[in-house]
Amino acid sequence: MPVGDCENAFVETALKHGVQLVRYKMPWLNQRGHFGLPDSASAVAVPLEKIFASLGGKGAEQSVKRTTALPGDFIHEGTGTIIEVDEIQHFTSFRLQTFSFYPGALPLGFDVNQYSSLCERYSPLADKYRHSKSAVAFGVGGRQRQRAYYDALRDLATPAMGHPPLIRIPAPDGNGKAAFERNLERLLNALT
């Protein structure tokens, strides 16, 4: 499936159900990760540092990256709710690893147990996706670890910055239309 098809189908289906979503970038979700968060998000700095270290991140390299905002999937502007649609590459063993560092009291817009199960199910395939691609601060073969870290950054920083909990929509099959429809009730409840 060509890049962007899943997200395009998701947003088109949302619009058919009266839900308008737009692409987003937040200045506090930037390439520096937890090193680039404002003081108002300090409550999540420690778990993000632990996640970063557990994934083999190199702080000296991460902390000097640009503060260029990371592109995200969608935001519902009326509520400020951020929505990420996760295809197969998000369900790696590295992503599974991040969940063990999530603070228990942190509000999340998705079920961590469900996501953990999806990672266990799909990681044999997902771990092969761009497994040799390097990433700054994560080295050779670090792209998957970087993705897992940035996913955790979005999950933890979003409510810390005063937004509703980030909603994650699993779409390991790449079918954005079906992913929206499977989660229709949950989305409508969160966005009204």
Side-chain angles (χ1 to χ4, degrees), residues 5-71:
D5 281 1
C6 181
E7 289 88 358
N8 291 339
F10 184 88
V11 77
E12 288 167 10
T13 306
L15 196 53
K16 288 177 183 174
H17 287 276
V19 178
Q20 185 170 4
L21 304 173
V22 296
R23 294 284 184 175
Y24 79 94
K25 287 185 182 181
M26 297 291 180
W28 41 269
L29 287 174
N30 63 64
Q31 291 180 11
R32 284 192 187 163
H34 67 287
F35 293 101
L37 286 174
D39 291 342
S40 55
S42 63
V44 297
V46 170
L48 284 168
E49 173 61 34
K50 289 179 180 179
I51 290 167
F52 182 77
S54 78
L55 294 170
K58 297 170 187 71
E61 293 178 25
Q62 187 75 22
S63 65
V64 296
K65 284 183 171 182
R66 295 177 186 221
T67 56
T68 304
L70 298 169

Side-chain angles (χ1 to χ4, degrees), residues 7-163:
E7 289 88 358
N8 291 339
F10 184 88
V11 77
E12 288 167 10
T13 306
L15 196 53
K16 288 177 183 174
H17 287 276
V19 178
Q20 185 170 4
L21 304 173
V22 296
R23 294 284 184 175
Y24 79 94
K25 287 185 182 181
M26 297 291 180
W28 41 269
L29 287 174
N30 63 64
Q31 291 180 11
R32 284 192 187 163
H34 67 287
F35 293 101
L37 286 174
D39 291 342
S40 55
S42 63
V44 297
V46 170
L48 284 168
E49 173 61 34
K50 289 179 180 179
I51 290 167
F52 182 77
S54 78
L55 294 170
K58 297 170 187 71
E61 293 178 25
Q62 187 75 22
S63 65
V64 296
K65 284 183 171 182
R66 295 177 186 221
T67 56
T68 304
L70 298 169
D73 286 344
F74 305 108
I75 188 166
H76 180 258
E77 292 180 311
T79 61
T81 303
I82 295 173
I83 300 168
E84 292 289 326
V85 181
D86 293 331
E87 294 176 73
I88 190 79
Q89 65 268 26
H90 291 269
F91 297 101
T92 62
S93 56
F94 300 113
R95 181 64 168 129
L96 177 62
Q97 180 180 323
T98 67
F99 296 131
S100 64
F101 298 96
Y102 278 33
L106 187 77
L108 296 172
F110 65 99
D111 183 336
V112 170
N113 292 326
Q114 177 198 27
Y115 256 68
S116 295
S117 294
L118 289 167
C119 288
E120 289 169 356
R121 178 178 176 187
Y122 291 108
S123 63
L125 181 60
D127 285 353
K128 294 176 185 172
Y129 183 85
R130 296 191 175 176
H131 71 279
S132 61
K133 187 172 182 177
S134 51
V136 175
F138 291 93
V140 175
R143 179 63 184 103
Q144 294 173 343
R145 289 178 282 131
Q146 180 189 57
R147 178 180 290 108
Y149 168 68
Y150 282 149
D151 280 353
L153 173 70
R154 287 181 176 93
D155 293 344
L156 303 185
T158 298
M161 289 299 296
H163 283 262

Side-chain angles (χ1 to χ4, degrees), residues 17-19 76 78-79 81 164 167 184-192:
H17 287 276
V19 178
H76 180 258
T79 61
T81 303
I167 295 175
L184 176 63
E185 186 175 337
R186 179 167 69 109
L187 286 164
L188 292 180
N189 287 338
L191 304 178
T192 56

